[in-house]
Amino acid sequence: MTRVDGYGRVDRTRTLRFTFDGVSYTGHPGDTLASALLAHGVRTIARSVKQDRPRGVTAVWSEDPTGLVQVEEPFPEPMLLATTIELVDGLVASSIGGRGRLAEVPDTARYDRRYAHCETLVVGAGPAGLLAARTAARRGDRVVLVDDRPAAGGSLTGTERICGRDALDFVADTLAELRAHPDVRILLRTTAFGHYDDGFVLALERRTDHLAPAPQGLSRQRVWRIRAGHVVVATGAHERPIVVADNDRPGIMLAASARDLLHRYGVLAGRRVVVFTSDDAAYDAAADLAGAGAEVTLLDPRPVRGDSRSGDYRRSRGLVLGTGAGPDGAISHVFTDQGELPCDLLLLSGGWNPTSHLFSHVRGALRYDAELGAFRPGEALAGVTVVGAANGTFDLAGCLAEGRGETPEPLPRTNLVLWRTDGDPARQYVDLQRDSTVADIARATGAGLRSVEHVKRYTTIGTAHDQGKTSGVLASAITAELLGVPIESLGTTTFRPPYTPIAFAALAGRERGQLFDPVRTTALHAWHVARGAVFEDVGQWKRARYYPLPGEAGGTEDMDTAVLRECAAVRRDVGILDGSTLGKIEVRGPDAGAFLDMIYTNLMSSLRPGRVRYGVMCGLDGMVIDDGTVLRLDDEGFLVYTTTGGAAPILDHMEEWLQTEWPHLRVTLTSVTEQWATFPVVGPRSRDVVGALAPHVDVSAAAFPFMTWQDTEVDGVPVRLARISFSGELAWEVSVDGWHAPALWRRLIALGEPYGITPYGTETMHVLRAEKGYPIIGQDTDGTVSPQDLGMSWAVSTKKVDFIGKRSFARAENRNPLRKQLVGLLPLDPTVKLPEGSQIIEQTAELPPPPVPMLGHVTSSYRSAALGRTFALALVKGGHARIGERLTVPVGGDLVPVEVTGSVLVDPEGTRRDG
Amino acid sequence: MAENLPEHPDFLWRTPEPRRSYDVVVVGGGGHGLATAHYLAKNHGITNVAVLEKGWLAGGNMARNTTLIRSNYLWDESAAIYEHALKLWEGLEEDLGYPILFSQRGVLNLAHTEQDVRDSVRRVEANRLNGIDAEWLSPDEVAKICPIVNVSGDIRYPVHGATYQPRAGIAKHDYVAWGFARRADEAGIDLIQDCEVVGFETDGDLVTRVRTTRGDIACGTVALCAAGHTSVLLDMLGVPAPLQSHPLQALVSELLEPVHPTIVMSNAVHVYVSQAHKGELVMGAGVDSYNGYGQRGAFHIIERQMAAAVELFPMFARAHLLRTWGGIVDVTPDASPIVGHTPYANVYLNSGWGTGGFKATPGIGWCLADTVAHGRPHPYVAPFALDRFTTGALVDEHGAAAVAH
Ligand SMILES: Cc1cc2nc3c(=O)[nH]c(=O)nc-3n(C[C@H](O)[C@H](O)[C@H](O)COP(=O)(O)OP(=O)(O)OC[C@H]3O[C@@H](n4cnc5c(N)ncnc54)[C@H](O)[C@@H]3O)c2cc1C
């Protein structure tokens, strides 16, 4: 055991049990997996990815480049740093060789997301951050303070004094003061991992991993989306090692990390310690470790001075050149310029790199500070302040002053910038996780590379889990040295979110399973379910596709049987469809007509109130994007029906034109999709049903002609009737508000009973419309089909001065007679149903070798009850001129002969429309 | 899979000073520019060439893409050029003498709706008639090829099946670029970095000099290969083109033991994923919707694709996002590239590859070199002329049947 009495903040009155690599150990609340293992003298906890060398803990928090483990219990999770895993009872973990293993079982934990808004966000609850938060809170700001460690205080070890008090008491008091403000939110165990424009910061809160067992019903992790007026980056600094030969062994650590282990966890990471430093801060580590009982030798390349912290350690001017290992691969001695020294812990410190990631995420420029040997924030960014060590201010007084918003006097620098000592470059590791060495950098520069980005990619330095937190600047410096150029001419590689790795599931949040995308159902959904409907996803909607009846032999009808039955029933008697998902947009204002004239290819402004008109919309390229009917409500109002999928995109499309191109038009657009439920009642007996529903309405063909609408009331409930048909049959669309929809639907079903009313789904709707040659936009079109291609030249105004898409109709290609056009296809064998999507080629008995010229493809294909055979719609090159021709459709290995027909196969004369 | 990376060659390229004049100036040292340089030398013996790169070589989209390579495009014109490229990929490691880690592990494009199924069948049938390997797979067959995809019915948009192109794959983007660069350099072509083109000197319908941050350079022919920044260069020339620059983001996980044997793409549950050689999961989705030249995007785009990834691959729940980044892609109205003549007789345009131009790299390099050498568009790029936006002869790859990347 290397736990020292009198040190550390772990709760030694309680013991936790855990297993690492199959061996049982104990630890205490407040430990991390790393501190608990080190307390047992376990120094090797991983193997390196390329060279399979043993690796230990190099740094004590998220900057550690080496100590990656695999957690097995409570739930498997790959590639976690032992230094950031809070110890819980029952934890099982194992060492890994640079690659993690994903769980075979689903993660049942819950993850969620919250929003926070504040004037001031402070990232980092060290001394600088605490004071910044306090200052903002006293000013009356709403404040969010986040810190990624379990406790506030940052790098304070408890040995310091602030304002005449113990530093940790000061921390506790400050937290208490902050907590007393109602508008201050303090989030510990919360890592701000990404900083985006306009004060948008994302932070991950770890809520349950430190609790065993994890409480039920609490999300494991939470992504905070924080929008801050001002972001204070108080994220501290990462210590930087000095590169020496064989610097990758277990038992080699950053100096402040060893000190942190002692003061935070009471763990003395070595008994015979060598400290190699060119910076004064590491003297604290030497003194503290010596004070805790270690035998410490400090080597410093600088001339010995009198003002650095003294202690019970030996110190001499000197250099560490390399290390040696014992049989377990961990360090056993160092080679210095004065000879060999035995040791079980080597501490390295070459200075500090400000942790300026969050400043860099928003493109803050860093500048190289030659005295510090580090890059630090080099420009002022609006809305962002960097304070304390993150700003390159490394003394406590300076940090406190910056936290208060003051500018402290810079202290004179005494450190020496030393990147590496002499030694075999192939054994001098720069990125310990990637096994990349100075020799690798030398190969890269030798290959002609001059940019740090190229060197990074050539050597893989900085690409591991730590994203080069301790290696990045070293790599720049060593590259500069090898190239003989100043480091500032090279800069660093780019810092990008996330600051530390984040579980995918945390980012997915609640958007999983049925919540991945909202499920939209109509007011009739429960009825459809009760009726045994099979549903289909249409955008976000669940639509009833067909309603299978109990079949023979106890099963239910298959889709083909059900649809043939539904189709026959509609054309023979009457059917009813839940068409509520159709998009509906109310277009209102004095210029509504003029607006719609621009949106549709045909004229809408001439439509009279009470009338309905079908229209087509095109994009700028003249290709059809949507279609549907338009009801003129009154002088200034139109109700536009879009396709189900088109509801949102078409509203967007209209808004974009209205807002960017025609802001002078006095028009408002309102989505009323969900306000209206709409049921087409379709078939020869629909007049009977609708007549029974609305006895006061004259539903005769003369009084209620095709393409007109009327409002009425049923039991005091307003109901709209419109004579619109998507099947060629006599039909009414009955619309009512969603609340009354189920009752009205049931009433229609009841009234239709005597006529054998049959509810039908989208599949039957598709067959019926296809028999009439009505295209479905998005199925029979694909963004390359013009109204003319659909045989709808009649819906394209030749009189209007302008409308969206008009100009494109004049293009040469739009007049090409060989464009693909919508036609019907009849397989010569009337029982063969062509797969939708099949390609069409010239008539042939044998498939020629590729490339085979293609004429088009099958867009819709069905069995028709009315025709007593199969049929299809297709887009075919020059199709309108090919009617009567025979073509071939390759299906699997077969060549199916088909005949091209017009697209209207049922009731081409339109005799059924008026019943 | 999950192996260590191969060693690089000892020497890659020189760092020459720009000369005063070149026969051919290629603007943009990304994959396309470098491949063009290689094939100019290799196929046409043209070596008095400079590739001008404003930053570090191949540091644009070439360094940022997710390296999906496939040729299962719908339209004949697209299939022809991408299949030409795929065939070149199949021999590229040898041609370049560089271990580019080209791995033909196949691509699954998932279908989640009835319309997806129609579109998929349509594309598979078209691919086959064009001589491109393609199959339509049922959910069970999908699971056989990629056992970690959730093909059960209990997800929001269940998998109805997938198209499969076995010859599709991935490669290591940097190595591809460096392989081309090394060959071009060996042939004597000057690769000039930190050299931004800031203007053009013209004489009638000819560009006589290219103005750069490292001085003016006289040119015989100019080939524009500036991807997301093409619109900026065209602006300097006063040539309007329907290009929109959008951020496109991608991301990787940490190194994981091999779990994912192929490439999976989904449009409805929008994400695409492969597992790279070393073991990291590489993924991306669609563009950020706003325009811009800053090489970064908004975070909700990443969150949404994480949700899609975990939905399709429940196993990924505790994989960790390690790094996100963005590139700038040049998107055209029909999602097909714009290649060929410009109003300037000696300037050729190569742009508009948007979210999917990595896979074209050898193919377009080959065809653009040929175009420059012969002064007319190579037949494979002829359909992608700028004037199609006035004639209307579009090659609309994002009609219903399209998949990005
Ligand atoms: C996140 C992401 C994922 C992608 N995924 C895929 C994928 O999976 N599969 C696929 O096929 N494609 C993918 N792509 C697209 C692909 O990367 C691009 O289409 C392709 O790389 C573009 O060609 P390029 O390599 O020449 O471009 P770039 O590498 O961008 O090259 C253009 C170069 O021009 C330089 N330049 C610009 N302006 C100037 C100037 N004025 N002077 C000098 N130099 C200039 C730039 O600095 C840049 O280096 C993806 C793109 C991104 C951003």
Side-chain angles (χ1 to χ4, degrees):
Chain A
M1 286 295 279
T2 62
R3 199 85 71 167
V4 227
D5 285 341
Y7 285 86
R9 287 170 249 157
V10 298
D11 175 5
R12 297 203 201 176
T13 64
R14 284 173 55 210
T15 299
L16 304 174
R17 287 170 201 291
F18 70 100
T19 307
F20 185 72
D21 277 345
V23 181
S24 302
Y25 299 96
T26 57
H28 303 292
D31 262 328
T32 62
L33 176 60
S35 69
L37 285 171
L38 287 167
H40 286 277
V42 179
R43 293 195 290 172
T44 299
I45 63 170
R47 314 280 311 177
S48 76
V49 68
K50 227 157 75 182
Q51 301 175 343
D52 196 32
R53 289 176 49 112
R55 294 279 190 261
V57 170
T58 307
V60 83
W61 189 241
S62 63
E63 72 275 26
D64 182 20
T66 48
L68 285 175
V69 300
Q70 170 90 24
V71 168
E72 313 286 359
E73 304 271 343
F75 189 87
E77 181 152 353
M79 301 290 270
L80 294 176
L81 279 172
T83 53
T84 59
I85 299 172
E86 291 185 54
L87 196 66
V88 288
D89 210 39
L91 182 78
V92 179
S94 54
S95 61
I96 42 175
R99 285 190 183 88
R101 192 171 8 86
L102 293 171
E104 305 275 335
V105 288
D107 182 3
T108 51
R110 181 185 276 193
Y111 301 82
D112 64 11
R113 186 180 289 162
R114 276 192 69 177
Y115 293 78
H117 299 84
C118 58
E119 278 72 45
T120 301
L121 166 69
V122 180
V123 183
L130 281 173
L131 275 201
R134 193 181 75 179
T135 307
R138 287 183 181 173
R139 185 165 66 217
D141 285 3
R142 286 173 300 168
V143 177
V144 176
L145 171 65
V146 306
D147 193 285
D148 60 349
R149 299 193 76 147
S155 62
L156 293 173
T157 60
T159 57
E160 308 81 355
R161 297 193 59 81
I162 298 177
C163 307
R165 275 176 299 163
D166 270 2
L168 296 184
D169 290 341
F170 170 82
V171 171
D173 292 350
T174 311
L175 280 179
E177 177 183 335
L178 288 171
R179 287 211 169 93
H181 284 274
D183 283 337
V184 174
R185 186 191 294 281
I186 299 169
L187 298 167
L188 297 175
R189 296 189 174 87
T190 303
T191 308
F193 63 81
H195 187 180
Y196 290 80
D197 291 341
D198 303 317
F200 187 56
V201 173
L202 290 131
L204 182 82
E205 182 186 7
R206 293 173 296 280
R207 309 179 72 215
T208 62
D209 281 1
H210 60 291
L211 308 171
Q216 293 291 306
L218 211 62
S219 64
R220 176 178 177 241
Q221 298 181 344
R222 169 173 288 170
V223 172
W224 284 88
R225 299 169 151 211
I226 305 165
R227 182 71 72 177
H230 199 95
V231 178
V232 179
V233 178
T235 43
H238 292 141
E239 197 167 16
R240 182 175 64 235
I242 301 171
V243 177
V244 304
D246 295 313
N247 55 341
D248 66 325
R249 302 187 194 284
I252 302 178
M253 227 181 248
L254 292 166
S257 292
R259 190 169 177 240
D260 192 89
L261 276 168
L262 179 65
H263 291 297
R264 202 180 289 263
Y265 308 106
V267 171
L268 187 58
R271 293 277 159 189
R272 299 177 93 177
V273 183
V274 174
V275 179
F276 177 40
T277 182
S278 59
D279 179 62
D280 288 350
Y283 282 68
D284 290 330
D288 288 358
L289 267 63
E295 182 191 311
V296 180
T297 306
L298 184 145
L299 294 176
D300 189 332
R302 297 174 296 175
V304 171
R305 293 181 304 113
D307 56 352
S308 51
R309 189 167 152 206
S310 57
D312 194 11
Y313 57 87
R314 268 187 298 136
R315 149 171 154 188
S316 58
R317 187 168 178 189
L319 297 166
V320 170
L321 303 174
T323 75
D328 63 348
I331 192 165
S332 62
H333 54 281
V334 293
F335 302 102
T336 76
D337 54 348
Q338 290 137 26
E340 221 176 287
L341 273 179
C343 68
D344 58 3
L345 179 66
L346 168 64
L347 301 183
L348 296 169
S349 177
W352 293 79
N353 294 323
T355 310
S356 41
H357 298 66
L358 293 179
F359 177 73
S360 299
H361 287 174
V362 282
R363 296 282 155 110
L366 303 179
R367 77 180 160 81
Y368 182 69
D369 181 326
E371 286 187 349
L372 280 187
F375 290 88
R376 61 193 293 187
E379 64 173 330
L381 284 187
V384 184
T385 314
V386 188
V387 298
N391 194 34
T393 300
F394 294 141
D395 64 302
L396 183 52
C399 286
L400 295 170
E402 288 191 0
R404 278 192 297 265
E406 297 156 11
T407 309
E409 277 299 308
L411 288 186
R413 303 278 182 205
T414 55
N415 61 311
L416 168 79
V417 177
L418 176 66
W419 307 112
R420 63 179 181 126
T421 57
D422 288 341
D424 177 0
R427 307 179 70 153
Q428 294 184 325
Y429 290 83
V430 178
D431 187 328
L432 276 62
Q433 183 58 29
R434 288 283 189 250
D435 286 322
S436 307
T437 64
V438 173
D440 293 324
I441 301 182
R443 269 198 94 227
T445 55
L449 301 181
R450 297 288 175 271
S451 149
V452 284
E453 294 285 0
H454 282 144
V455 171
K456 169 181 171 176
R457 287 166 164 76
Y458 191 96
T459 62
T460 71
I461 291 174
T463 60
H465 69 283
D466 59 329
Q467 294 284 292
K469 290 191 176 63
T470 56
S471 60
V473 175
L474 279 175
S476 291
I478 292 167
T479 305
E481 174 203 317
L482 293 170
L483 290 174
V485 301
I487 176 172
E488 50 271 39
S489 72
L490 295 180
T492 64
T493 56
T494 313
F495 297 98
R496 292 193 185 272
Y499 172 64
T500 53
I502 311 284
F504 285 12
L507 298 174
R510 299 298 303 276
E511 292 175 17
R512 293 170 67 181
Q514 291 306 305
L515 297 182
F516 174 73
D517 206 23
V519 176
R520 296 172 80 187
T521 56
T522 70
L524 274 308
H525 191 70
W527 191 93
H528 302 319
V529 172
R531 189 65 174 231
V534 173
F535 290 89
E536 115 177 90
D537 284 315
V538 181
Q540 294 171 328
W541 291 99
K542 293 280 178 199
R543 294 199 71 181
R545 193 172 184 197
Y546 58 97
Y547 301 82
L549 293 180
E552 297 143 35
T556 52
E557 282 176 330
D558 62 12
M559 184 169 89
D560 272 1
T561 316
V563 170
L564 282 173
R565 174 181 50 75
E566 290 174 8
C567 285
V570 174
R571 293 223 190 270
R572 186 186 58 236
D573 305 318
V574 57
I576 183 166
L577 172 80
D578 182 1
S580 305
T581 64
L582 279 183
K584 300 160 207 91
I585 301 167
E586 193 165 317
V587 179
R588 185 157 284 289
D591 298 321
F595 173 71
L596 291 178
D597 282 347
M598 292 301 288
I599 292 287
Y600 282 96
T601 58
N602 48 343
L603 202 62
M604 284 297 169
S605 54
S606 60
L607 190 64
R608 277 178 289 131
R611 299 277 164 155
V612 182
R613 189 168 290 167
Y614 171 81
V616 176
M617 292 179 206
C618 289
L620 272 179
D621 57 1
M623 301 304 155
V624 177
I625 57 170
D626 209 71
D627 72 341
T629 49
V630 177
L631 278 60
R632 181 123 201 192
L633 302 176
D634 49 47
D635 267 0
E636 296 197 349
F638 294 80
L639 184 62
V640 166
Y641 277 79
T642 71
T643 56
T644 297
I650 294 301
L651 182 61
D652 285 352
H653 168 80
M654 289 181 171
E655 285 288 4
E656 180 172 351
W657 282 94
L658 192 58
Q659 292 178 32
T660 63
E661 301 294 327
W662 311 316
H664 55 280
L665 293 184
R666 292 160 299 165
V667 178
T668 57
L669 304 171
T670 310
S671 168
V672 292
T673 301
E674 313 229 338
Q675 277 61 32
W676 288 101
T678 299
F679 318 134
V681 179
V682 183
R685 308 309 296 267
S686 59
R687 177 168 286 130
D688 300 306
V689 180
V690 173
L693 177 76
H696 307 302
V697 178
D698 181 351
V699 291
S700 68
F704 204 146
F706 187 56
M707 295 304 251
T708 63
W709 63 272
Q710 295 181 33
D711 277 345
T712 180
E713 278 187 5
V714 175
D715 291 345
V717 175
V719 170
R720 177 168 295 156
L721 304 173
R723 268 204 61 202
I724 297 169
S725 177
F726 196 37
S727 58
E729 296 298 324
L730 174 70
W732 272 265
E733 284 187 3
V734 181
S735 296
V736 68
D737 70 273
W739 180 258
H740 293 99
L744 190 76
W745 172 276
R746 276 197 205 91
R747 176 131 176 199
L748 283 163
I749 297 274
L751 293 170
E753 195 89 337
Y755 312 102
I757 194 164
T758 300
Y760 66 94
T762 51
E763 195 64 24
T764 292
M765 171 187 84
H766 285 175
V767 179
L768 296 174
R769 63 84 207 179
E771 290 170 340
K772 282 290 290 180
Y774 297 147
I776 298 242
I777 306 307
Q779 173 171 344
D780 300 295
T781 71
D782 62 0
T784 70
V785 180
S786 69
Q788 296 86 350
D789 300 336
L790 293 174
M792 293 193 187
S793 300
W794 54 266
V796 179
S797 163
T798 49
K799 296 197 197 88
K800 284 197 287 181
V801 179
D802 199 11
F803 57 86
I804 297 171
K806 176 174 166 119
R807 194 179 58 171
S808 294
F809 295 143
R811 297 186 301 192
E813 192 55 31
N814 287 64
R815 294 159 181 270
N816 184 344
L818 289 183
R819 287 185 63 79
K820 290 184 184 159
Q821 293 154 343
L822 189 71
V823 292
L825 284 189
L826 295 176
L828 298 196
D829 177 344
T831 64
V832 170
K833 192 176 132 203
L834 299 167
E836 291 171 340
S838 299
Q839 293 287 338
I840 302 159
I841 61 176
E842 291 287 0
Q843 188 177 20
T844 178
E846 207 180 318
L847 198 61
V852 185
M854 285 167 260
L855 299 175
H857 76 285
V858 175
T859 58
S860 299
S861 174
Y862 308 101
R863 288 180 206 286
S864 164
L867 299 171
R869 57 157 302 143
T870 58
F871 75 105
L873 296 179
L875 287 166
V876 176
K877 271 186 193 160
H880 294 160
R882 283 180 182 263
I883 289 171
E885 276 183 33
R886 293 212 171 153
L887 302 174
T888 297
V889 178
V891 177
D894 296 340
L895 295 174
V896 179
V898 297
E899 185 181 318
V900 182
T901 69
S903 58
V904 188
L905 292 165
V906 168
D907 186 29
E909 303 80 24
T911 56
R912 306 178 65 86
R913 190 187 79 187
D914 290 326
Chain B
M1 259 166 60
E3 291 157 29
N4 292 320
L5 297 174
E7 285 293 335
H8 292 285
D10 284 327
F11 191 75
L12 291 175
W13 54 75
R14 298 162 293 130
T15 303
E17 280 301 310
R19 282 186 267 137
R20 305 291 297 275
S21 138
Y22 291 92
D23 291 345
V24 180
V25 168
V26 177
V27 182
H32 291 196
L34 293 168
T36 303
H38 168 61
Y39 291 115
L40 276 172
K42 182 182 167 189
N43 293 355
H44 307 284
I46 299 174
T47 57
N48 185 18
V49 176
V51 178
L52 308 184
E53 169 52 50
K54 75 179 161 107
W56 41 285
L57 215 55
N61 293 337
M62 193 60 180
R64 297 157 199 268
N65 70 78
T66 44
T67 82
L68 301 190
I69 298 165
R70 58 184 183 89
S71 65
N72 57 351
Y73 279 70
L74 174 66
W75 300 110
D76 301 348
E77 298 85 346
S78 315
I81 177 106
Y82 288 110
E83 178 61 17
H84 172 59
L86 183 49
K87 293 218 170 79
L88 288 172
W89 279 111
E90 290 172 332
L92 199 58
E93 192 144 326
E94 212 170 308
D95 179 15
L96 299 181
Y98 208 110
I100 56 169
L101 304 180
F102 178 53
S103 158
Q104 288 181 291
R105 56 185 63 193
V107 64
L108 291 166
N109 293 98
L110 304 182
H112 299 269
T113 64
E114 294 302 320
Q115 189 56 37
D116 277 356
V117 174
R118 292 180 194 107
D119 292 338
S120 300
V121 170
R122 177 185 180 193
R123 189 159 43 77
V124 163
E125 294 296 333
N127 290 160
R128 293 183 147 185
L129 292 170
N130 272 323
I132 291 170
D133 57 319
E135 293 166 49
W136 165 252
L137 304 182
S138 69
D140 286 347
E141 292 166 321
V142 169
K144 272 194 204 105
I145 288 174
C146 188
I148 60 172
V149 182
N150 186 358
V151 295
S152 72
D154 65 4
I155 65 174
R156 176 70 178 86
Y157 295 111
V159 174
H160 290 217
T163 69
Y164 184 51
Q165 183 181 26
R167 283 163 64 241
I170 56 175
K172 182 91 178 140
H173 48 13
D174 292 330
Y175 298 9
V176 173
W178 297 359
F180 278 118
R182 186 171 68 126
R183 281 282 186 254
D185 177 82
E186 276 170 5
I189 289 174
D190 285 352
L191 310 178
I192 302 168
Q193 305 183 68
D194 295 317
C195 181
E196 180 170 357
V197 171
V198 293
F200 297 92
E201 241 170 72
T202 59
D203 182 4
D205 71 345
L206 291 178
V207 165
T208 51
R209 277 164 191 287
V210 177
R211 291 208 185 99
T212 84
T213 49
R214 296 180 66 178
D216 290 359
I217 297 173
C219 53
T221 306
V222 177
L224 300 180
C225 295
H229 288 76
T230 304
S231 45
V232 180
L233 289 163
L234 289 178
D235 231 29
M236 297 173 196
L237 286 166
V239 174
L243 287 170
Q244 298 212 26
S245 290
H246 286 271
L248 176 64
Q249 302 187 71
L251 59 97
V252 284
S253 75
E254 73 274 82
L255 303 192
L256 297 165
E257 291 185 356
V259 289
H260 184 17
T262 181
I263 305 161
V264 171
M265 311 180 70
S266 166
N267 268 8
V269 183
H270 200 162
V271 70
Y272 60 92
V273 193
S274 66
Q275 186 170 21
H277 196 77
K278 276 189 303 176
E280 66 270 39
L281 299 171
V282 180
M283 33 186 112
V287 297
D288 280 43
S289 57
Y290 57 86
N291 295 148
Y293 294 108
Q295 287 167 317
R296 66 212 182 102
F299 195 72
H300 63 271
I301 305 283
I302 302 283
E303 286 177 300
R304 191 63 188 155
Q305 57 183 278
M306 293 286 84
V310 178
E311 178 82 347
L312 290 177
F313 302 90
M315 169 185 251
F316 291 173
R318 293 203 187 183
H320 300 106
L321 170 70
L322 185 61
R323 187 173 176 88
T324 63
W325 63 87
I328 294 301
V329 295
D330 42 340
V331 177
T332 63
D334 62 356
S336 284
I338 306 177
V339 186
H341 289 299
T342 67
Y344 289 92
N346 64 339
V347 177
Y348 294 96
L349 179 60
N350 168 44
S351 67
W353 293 90
T355 59
F358 173 72
K359 66 180 69 66
T361 302
I364 185 58
W366 179 289
C367 293
L368 189 61
D370 182 272
T371 300
V372 168
H374 295 109
R376 53 96 190 95
H378 183 282
Y380 285 150
V381 298
F384 299 107
L386 178 57
D387 71 4
R388 73 176 185 275
F389 298 100
T390 36
T391 65
L394 304 179
V395 186
D396 196 334
E397 279 292 343
H398 65 185
V403 262
H405 310 288

